[in-house]
Amino acid sequence: MSTLPQLLGPTGLGAGSLRLSPRTAAGRSGKVPAGRPKTVPTQPLKPIPGLYHHAHVEPAPDLVDDIDRRTKEWAFGITMYERGFEKEYDAFVFGYYTCLCYPDYASREHIMAAAKMLAAENAVDDIYCEDLGGSPVGLGYRLCLAQAAFDPLHCTDEYQSAWEARLRQDGPRHGYRSAFEHLNTIASPAQLDRERHDMIRLHLGYLCEAAWEETQTLPTVDEYLTMRQFNNFRPCLTIVDAVAGYELPHDIHDSHHMQRVIALASNATTIVNDLYSYTKEMNGQRPHLNLPYVIELNEHLSREDAYAKAVDIHNQLMHAFEEEGVRAALAYPHPAVSRFITGLSAWVAGDHHWHATNHGRYQLPAWL
Amino acid sequence: MSTLPQLLGPTGLGAGSLRLSPRTAAGRSGKVPAGRPKTVPTQPLKPIPGLYHHAHVEPAPDLVDDIDRRTKEWAFGITMYERGFEKEYDAFVFGYYTCLCYPDYASREHIMAAAKMLAAENAVDDIYCEDLGGSPVGLGYRLCLAQAAFDPLHCTDEYQSAWEARLRQDGPRHGYRSAFEHLNTIASPAQLDRERHDMIRLHLGYLCEAAWEETQTLPTVDEYLTMRQFNNFRPCLTIVDAVAGYELPHDIHDSHHMQRVIALASNATTIVNDLYSYTKEMNGQRPHLNLPYVIELNEHLSREDAYAKAVDIHNQLMHAFEEEGVRAALAYPHPAVSRFITGLSAWVAGDHHWHATNHGRYQLPAWL
C-alpha cells in the first residue's frame, strides 16, 4: 500500500472552498429535529459494518425543500413520470439526494441542473430498464433514441422536424432533453461533451446488463465489474465542477491520471449501491446481478463471505481513489484540481449517506 | 438554400497543406496501368447517378502496398481475424481504403494507426454483429467488454489481472486494444477521448440496429437516421487531425457548430454506405435495414423512388456539411479548422471512391 496521506473527503483537499452547512444531529444519531421538512428523510443512519466511508455534509432544509418541490413539479409537468408513479418517485427523495451530493454549488439554478439530470437518469432506468415497465428486450433502440435527446440528430428539415416532435412525446426522452437544456445554461461545451460521453457509457452498461439477463449468462467477476464501470454513477460525478460554477481544465480532465481518479471514485460509489441494494435485488421479482452475488456464484463462497469480499473491494477502490487523488492534486497544481477531487469525494460521501438512510428502498442483509 | 460558396472537397479550403499524390488514370477511367501492385484494386469507378460527390486523391501504390501488408500482418498476427476469414478480410482492401481516406498524413506510422483502427472496427462489426458469426443476441455485453479494451477497467489487482488476461484471449477485443495502443502513440489525450466517445456511439448504434432486428421492429425514417448517426463512420473522421499530426483545438471541437459539421459529414458518408450496399443487403440471408428500404416501407414508395429519395437526402446532407464547414472556417479563423474540414471532406471523397470501385462487395441496383 502507498504511504501517501489520505487527505480527501469533504474535510480534505480544497474543502475550504466549499459552502458547507453544519451537519444536523439527525445525520449522525438518527434523532429528528422538531419541525423538519417532510422532504428531508427521517430515517436513522445505518452504515454497513466495515464499509469505509466519510461523513456527509447535511444540506440546509429550506434548500432541500425548494429543490425537491421544483424537481417534482418539473418531472411530472413534462410527464417524464406519469402520475401513477408518484409514490415510487417520492421514495427517491431527489431534492435531499441532490443537495447531499453537491455541497459545493454556485446557485440554486446550478443545483437544479444536477437534480433534473439525476431524476431524468432514474426515469430512463426505471421506465426503460427496470421496475416501472422496463425490459431488456428492445432496450438498444430505446436507449439509442434516448441518447439522441442530448446528442441530437443532424438531418434534412423533413426528418429533423419529425424527430423533434417524436422526442417530446416520450416521457423519459423529453426528460433527458429538458434536463440537458438546463445543464446547457450552466456548463461549457467541454463539460456538456463530457456528460454526453458519460451518459452513453451508462447506456452501454445498461445494455450489457440487459444482455446477460436476456441470455441468462453469468459473467465472471471482472466482467461484472467492467459492466458496472459503465453502468455507473459517473455522469453525476462528472458535473461537480459545472454545478460549482468552475471548470476542470480539459487537458487535465482528459489525462490518463485524472480519468483514473474519476473512474475509481465512480466505481467505489457504484459498488456502494450494489451493497445497499443487495437485499432488495436478491428478493426482487426479476433476477438481478450484483457484486456479492456474482462473487458468490463464481467463487463458491458463502453469502456472508461473498458480501464481505465485495465490501473489501469497495474499500480498496476508495483507498485507491484517495491515493490517486492526492497524487493528481500534487501533479497538477491548479486550484480546480483539488476542488474537483473534493467535489468527487463529497459526492461519494453524500451518496453513501443517502443509501444508508433510505430504508424505504434499502435494508441491510439479515446477518449484519 | 444558402448562397455560401461550396469551397470544400480535397480541392477546397486548406488543401494547400495536403500531401497530394496525382490521381492515376485508373481512378477515372478504370484502365489499369501495367505493373500495378495487387493491393490496389482494379475495378472501374461506377458512381451512383446523381450522387453528389468529389473526386478522390489517388494514393501512391508503394504506400498502399506497405500499409496493406503491415495491416494484414498485424490483424492475423494478433488473431484479430482467424485465418479462415482471409478472403473476407482481403475484400476490404484495407490498405487502399485507408490511404484513399487520409491523404493528409504525417508519417506512415500515423496512417498505420488509422488502418489498424479501421480494420479493428470491421473485425468487431463482422465477428460480433454481422456476417462472420455475429448475432444481435447478447451483443450488449460483447460490445461493452469491447469498448473497455480502450476505456479500461480500474479495479483491484486481483480482478484487473483477470480482466487483462481475458481481453487478449478475444480476437476483436485484442484488436481494439492493440489498435488503440498505436493510436496512443500519435494522438493527444483529448484526441483519444474523442475517439473513445465516437467508438461508443458506434457501439450504441449497433445495439439499436440489433434491437430492431431481434424484435422485428420497423423504425420510422427519422429513427433510422438517428440510429445511423450513431452506427456511423464518425470514428474514422474524428482522427483526421491526429493522422495528419496536428490537433483541432478542443474548445472549437466541442462547440455546437463544429459538432454539427462533424455530424453532417459523418452522416453523409454513412448514407453513401447504405446506397452502395443496398443490393448486397437486400439480397442477404438475414434481413438488413437500409435507408432506401426504410423509406420504401414507411412512405409506400416504389423501390426506385425510395432509392432516389435516399440519394437526395445524402446530397442535402453533403451540401449542409459544406455550407456549415465554410461558416465554421469563417467563425474560427484558426488554421487547424480549415485543415480539419478539408480532412473530413477528403475522407468523404476517399470513402466514396472506395465504395464506387469495390464491386466485389457492392453492385448498383439493377435499374441504375
Side-chain angles (χ1 to χ4, degrees):
Chain A
M1 294 293 290
S2 166
T3 56
L4 279 169
Q6 288 158 16
L7 292 177
L8 299 169
T11 52
L13 274 173
S17 63
L18 299 180
R19 297 157 175 249
L20 304 183
S21 308
R23 272 176 294 155
T24 66
R28 283 171 292 186
S29 70
K31 288 178 188 160
V32 182
R36 190 166 195 175
K38 70 176 172 54
T39 52
V40 177
T42 57
Q43 290 99 333
L45 177 69
K46 274 197 199 168
I48 293 165
L51 190 77
Y52 177 58
H53 68 281
H54 297 292
H56 73 293
V57 177
E58 184 69 19
D62 73 305
L63 173 70
V64 171
D65 268 356
D66 185 40
I67 301 300
D68 203 69
R69 180 185 52 75
R70 289 168 62 191
T71 306
K72 188 170 178 178
E73 280 175 11
W74 166 80
F76 288 88
I78 62 168
T79 323
M80 184 173 83
Y81 279 100
E82 292 180 10
R83 281 286 165 197
F85 292 144
E86 206 165 338
K87 189 177 148 206
E88 289 82 359
Y89 175 93
D90 287 342
F92 268 97
V93 286
F94 283 111
Y96 186 59
Y97 196 172
T98 309
C99 296
L100 268 174
C101 287
Y102 300 94
D104 187 6
Y105 64 97
S107 77
R108 290 192 176 188
E109 287 312 304
H110 285 70
I111 209 162
M112 273 304 296
K116 288 180 179 176
M117 284 300 298
L118 181 64
E121 288 155 21
N122 270 279
V124 166
D125 191 20
D126 284 347
I127 298 168
Y128 283 3
C129 310
E130 302 259 355
D131 302 340
L132 307 188
S135 160
V137 178
L139 188 58
Y141 72 81
R142 294 197 297 280
L143 289 177
C144 184
L145 299 180
Q147 180 74 21
F150 42 75
D151 191 356
L153 181 65
H154 294 276
C155 195
T156 60
D157 291 344
E158 177 184 2
Y159 298 112
Q160 194 79 34
S161 309
W163 172 80
E164 282 279 348
R166 200 180 315 281
L167 178 59
R168 292 181 193 278
Q169 290 163 4
D170 179 276
R173 284 159 69 191
H174 193 178
Y176 266 180
R177 162 60 75 93
S178 175
F180 221 79
E181 281 172 350
H182 195 129
L183 189 66
N184 189 45
T185 66
I186 66 152
S188 73
Q191 289 171 317
L192 294 171
D193 196 64
R194 291 173 202 169
E195 185 69 350
R196 275 192 291 266
H197 194 163
D198 284 344
M199 290 299 296
I200 195 169
R201 284 181 168 113
L202 176 67
H203 294 152
L204 186 62
Y206 287 159
L207 289 163
C208 182
E209 190 173 42
W212 284 331
E213 181 182 343
E214 196 176 358
T215 58
Q216 292 289 299
T217 301
L218 174 67
T220 62
V221 179
D222 60 290
E223 287 172 338
Y224 179 81
L225 288 164
T226 303
M227 178 279 288
R228 213 63 175 104
Q229 182 168 296
F230 285 85
N231 175 358
N232 193 288
F233 285 126
R234 183 170 169 150
C236 301
L237 284 86
T238 280
I239 57 172
V240 294
D241 58 344
V243 173
Y246 68 96
E247 182 173 341
L248 181 67
H250 89 100
D251 54 324
I252 301 175
H253 173 271
D254 291 345
S255 70
H256 173 73
H257 198 156
M258 205 65 201
Q259 288 290 304
R260 178 163 166 77
V261 169
I262 297 168
L264 286 167
S266 301
N267 287 352
T269 201
T270 299
I271 293 176
V272 163
N273 180 263
D274 274 37
L275 294 169
Y276 279 98
S277 57
Y278 176 81
T279 306
K280 170 172 168 276
E281 290 177 344
M282 294 301 280
N283 295 327
Q285 291 189 332
R286 279 165 56 189
H288 204 299
L289 296 177
N290 58 52
L291 183 57
Y293 188 45
V294 172
I295 292 172
E296 179 194 335
L297 294 177
N298 276 280
E299 302 181 6
H300 312 295
L301 297 180
S302 68
R303 288 195 159 190
E304 292 81 352
D305 287 349
Y307 193 90
K309 185 164 184 182
V311 170
D312 183 60
I313 291 169
H314 164 272
N315 291 354
Q316 287 189 53
L317 290 175
M318 275 289 281
H319 290 304
F321 155 56
E322 295 184 352
E323 287 161 17
E324 293 282 4
V326 171
R327 285 188 220 271
L330 293 171
Y332 302 106
H334 186 294
V337 175
S338 57
R339 188 174 178 184
F340 185 79
I341 295 168
T342 302
L344 298 180
S345 198
W347 200 95
V348 171
D351 177 67
H352 175 266
H353 187 78
W354 179 80
H355 279 88
T357 54
N358 195 329
H359 310 312
R361 289 178 63 84
Y362 307 121
Q363 299 287 332
L364 295 191
W367 66 83
L368 290 180
Chain B
M1 293 297 290
S2 164
T3 56
L4 279 169
Q6 288 158 15
L7 292 178
L8 299 170
T11 52
L13 275 173
S17 63
L18 298 181
R19 297 156 175 251
L20 304 184
S21 307
R23 271 177 294 158
T24 66
R28 282 172 292 188
S29 71
K31 287 179 189 160
V32 182
R36 190 165 196 178
K38 70 175 173 52
T39 52
V40 177
T42 57
Q43 291 98 334
L45 178 69
K46 274 197 198 168
I48 294 165
L51 190 77
Y52 177 59
H53 67 281
H54 297 291
H56 73 293
V57 177
E58 185 68 20
D62 73 305
L63 174 70
V64 172
D65 267 354
D66 185 41
I67 301 299
D68 203 67
R69 180 185 53 76
R70 290 168 61 191
T71 306
K72 187 170 178 180
E73 280 175 10
W74 166 80
F76 287 88
I78 62 168
T79 324
M80 184 173 84
Y81 279 100
E82 292 179 11
R83 281 285 164 198
F85 292 144
E86 205 165 339
K87 189 177 150 207
E88 289 82 359
Y89 175 93
D90 287 341
F92 267 96
V93 285
F94 282 112
Y96 186 58
Y97 196 172
T98 308
C99 296
L100 268 174
C101 287
Y102 300 93
D104 188 6
Y105 65 97
S107 77
R108 290 192 177 189
E109 288 311 304
H110 285 71
I111 209 162
M112 273 304 296
K116 288 181 179 176
M117 285 300 298
L118 182 65
E121 288 155 20
N122 270 279
V124 166
D125 191 19
D126 284 346
I127 298 168
Y128 283 3
C129 310
E130 302 259 355
D131 302 341
L132 308 188
S135 160
V137 178
L139 188 58
Y141 72 80
R142 293 197 297 277
L143 290 177
C144 184
L145 299 180
Q147 179 74 21
F150 42 74
D151 191 357
L153 182 64
H154 294 276
C155 194
T156 60
D157 292 344
E158 178 184 1
Y159 298 113
Q160 194 79 35
S161 309
W163 172 80
E164 281 279 348
R166 201 181 314 283
L167 178 59
R168 294 184 191 277
Q169 290 163 3
D170 178 275
R173 283 159 71 191
H174 193 179
Y176 266 180
R177 162 60 75 92
S178 175
F180 222 78
E181 281 172 350
H182 195 129
L183 190 66
N184 189 45
T185 65
I186 66 152
S188 73
Q191 289 172 317
L192 295 171
D193 195 65
R194 290 172 201 169
E195 185 69 349
R196 275 192 292 265
H197 194 163
D198 284 345
M199 289 300 295
I200 196 169
R201 285 181 167 114
L202 176 67
H203 294 153
L204 187 62
Y206 287 160
L207 289 163
C208 182
E209 190 172 42
W212 283 330
E213 180 183 343
E214 195 176 356
T215 58
Q216 291 290 299
T217 301
L218 174 68
T220 62
V221 179
D222 61 290
E223 287 171 339
Y224 179 82
L225 288 164
T226 303
M227 178 280 287
R228 213 62 175 105
Q229 182 169 296
F230 286 84
N231 176 358
N232 194 288
F233 285 126
R234 183 170 170 151
C236 301
L237 285 85
T238 281
I239 57 173
V240 294
D241 58 344
V243 173
Y246 68 95
E247 182 173 343
L248 181 67
H250 89 99
D251 54 324
I252 300 175
H253 173 270
D254 291 344
S255 70
H256 173 74
H257 197 156
M258 205 64 202
Q259 288 291 303
R260 178 164 166 76
V261 169
I262 297 168
L264 286 167
S266 301
N267 288 352
T269 200
T270 299
I271 292 176
V272 163
N273 179 264
D274 275 37
L275 293 169
Y276 279 98
S277 58
Y278 175 81
T279 305
K280 170 173 168 275
E281 290 177 345
M282 294 301 280
N283 295 328
Q285 291 190 331
R286 278 165 57 190
H288 204 298
L289 295 176
N290 59 51
L291 183 57
Y293 188 45
V294 172
I295 292 172
E296 178 194 336
L297 295 177
N298 275 281
E299 302 182 7
H300 311 295
L301 297 180
S302 68
R303 289 196 159 192
E304 292 81 353
D305 286 350
Y307 193 90
K309 186 165 183 181
V311 170
D312 183 60
I313 291 169
H314 164 271
N315 291 353
Q316 286 190 54
L317 290 175
M318 275 289 282
H319 290 304
F321 155 56
E322 295 185 353
E323 288 161 14
E324 293 282 5
V326 171
R327 285 188 220 271
L330 293 172
Y332 301 106
H334 187 294
V337 175
S338 57
R339 187 173 178 184
F340 184 79
I341 295 168
T342 302
L344 297 180
S345 199
W347 201 95
V348 171
D351 177 67
H352 175 268
H353 188 78
W354 180 79
H355 279 88
T357 55
N358 195 330
H359 310 312
R361 290 178 63 84
Y362 306 123
Q363 300 287 332
L364 295 191
W367 65 83
L368 288 181

